[in-house]
Amino acid sequence: DIHAVREIVRMQEITSIPQAPPSIEGVINLRGKVNPVMDLRKRFGLRASEETKDSRIVVVDIGEQDVGLIVDAVAEVNRIPSDAIEPPSSVVTTEDSDFISGIAKFEERMIILLDLNKVLSRTDLEFVKKNGEFDSN
């Protein structure tokens, strides 16, 4: 949901946090607020990729907490008609992938739709709530 997106920023230095869950890269300072940053590739069990000029941090509101999500690139924003969205098949989803809210057939492409409120694992969510956004002063 585009309404959950606060902003999209270029990659910047991420400060690591000891004892963070594997998918949490660390924190960034964004306009005086410290926000946790998650690597979506790690969260989704995909192989790591090198940071490129197209890499971005998408800052989203997840559970009343701003969280940065590292993505390979941001290409476009689309309006997808509801009749183009199908629920995910039980064959491709598991308890660990309940963050998939649907599959859209859009302009000859298949697009996986995410439920941002489920992207954070329970461990990630507990960590973010405990070490979440605060003033950097």
Side-chain angles (χ1 to χ4, degrees), residues 4-112:
V5 176
R6 299 281 188 230
E7 60 187 301
I8 300 168
V9 297
R10 293 188 185 279
M11 289 298 295
Q12 55 187 272
E13 184 175 343
I14 298 172
T15 303
S16 297
I17 297 178
Q19 310 272 328
S23 60
I24 302 292
E25 285 294 303
V27 294
I28 57 171
N29 183 341
L30 194 59
R31 285 179 251 313
K33 300 236 184 245
V34 177
N35 293 288
V37 177
M38 168 185 274
D39 186 331
L40 284 182
R41 284 187 162 274
K42 287 182 181 178
R43 171 63 177 105
F44 298 153
L46 301 172
R47 68 174 172 72
S49 71
E50 294 294 317
E51 182 180 314
T52 70
K53 65 179 181 62
D54 294 327
S55 299
R56 296 289 184 268
I57 299 173
V58 179
V59 181
V60 297
D61 177 21
I62 298 178
E64 300 179 20
Q65 166 69 52
D66 285 350
V67 177
L69 304 174
I70 298 173
V71 299
D72 296 338
V74 175
E76 59 193 345
V77 175
N78 293 304
R79 283 188 191 269
I80 300 174
S82 59
D83 63 348
I85 301 172
E86 294 184 14
S89 166
S90 61
V91 174
V92 296
T93 58
T94 66
E95 188 176 297
D96 292 334
S97 63
D98 67 344
F99 50 78
I100 298 174
S101 65
I103 310 285
K105 294 178 277 186
F106 183 74
E107 296 179 354
E108 306 301 318
R109 297 183 289 171
M110 301 288 281
I111 299 173
I112 297 172

